[in-house]
Amino acid sequence: MAKSVNKSAQAWVSARHLQHVVIHGEAIGLRMDELLSAGGLDKGRLADPDGAVPIAAFDAMLEAVADRYRDPLMGLHLAGAIQPATFGAIGYLMQTCTSFVDVFKVATRYNGLLSNIGKTSLRHRPGAVQVCWECTAGS
């Protein structure tokens, strides 16, 4: 159990992810400054798109968003608003892919540039590709 806690203590997500949440939250009228403060964060901390945010701060901020924005499909709505720049260099690499499977291969290979909280993998089945993501830290 201590091993899992240690992983969470060192876990991080790219500031780009949080920037995306802030932009989307403000677009729907949420007071993101208040919600960021729930995680001990502010917009200045997110100014560096290559910066990292501890997973505990990210989780606290997302929990505050979920408390005020009671949408069971919040993750889907956030994903629908993602642009290639949200993923930085990985997003631009994805745009050069010639097939959908190649997009997921890029995402799988370079996932560690966006966070260290999960593992992305692909499972090939006859006529299908299954994209899997396993959360290894945070909630």
Side-chain angles (χ1 to χ4, degrees):
M1 184 110 184
K3 189 175 188 179
S4 175
V5 171
N6 188 25
K7 267 187 179 180
S8 289
Q10 298 173 5
W12 59 271
V13 296
S14 168
R16 289 178 189 279
H17 287 316
L18 204 42
Q19 288 171 346
H20 176 70
V21 173
V22 168
I23 290 166
H24 186 72
E26 287 176 341
I28 62 169
L30 293 176
R31 299 180 70 160
M32 291 308 298
D33 287 331
E34 292 175 15
L35 297 169
L36 284 168
S37 70
L41 299 167
D42 60 45
K43 289 181 185 175
R45 173 103 186 252
L46 306 179
D48 178 7
D50 296 320
V53 175
I55 191 63
F58 189 69
D59 277 350
M61 194 274 316
L62 283 179
E63 188 173 318
V65 169
D67 285 346
R68 292 202 187 165
Y69 181 54
R70 298 197 179 272
D71 178 358
L73 301 176
M74 179 175 58
L76 185 60
H77 292 144
L78 283 170
I82 288 177
Q83 297 295 315
T86 305
F87 297 111
I90 296 171
Y92 297 114
L93 279 173
M94 289 176 174
Q95 287 183 306
T96 68
C97 293
T98 57
S99 71
F100 203 51
V101 170
D102 289 341
V103 169
F104 286 112
K105 286 180 181 177
V106 166
T108 301
R109 182 172 184 180
Y110 298 107
N111 186 66
L113 296 175
L114 298 173
S115 75
N116 69 347
I117 66 167
K119 181 180 177 189
T120 304
S121 62
L122 300 176
R123 292 186 189 145
H124 297 273
R125 308 263 189 250
V129 175
Q130 183 180 18
V131 180
C132 305
W133 188 74
E134 176 189 359
C135 185
T136 59
S139 60

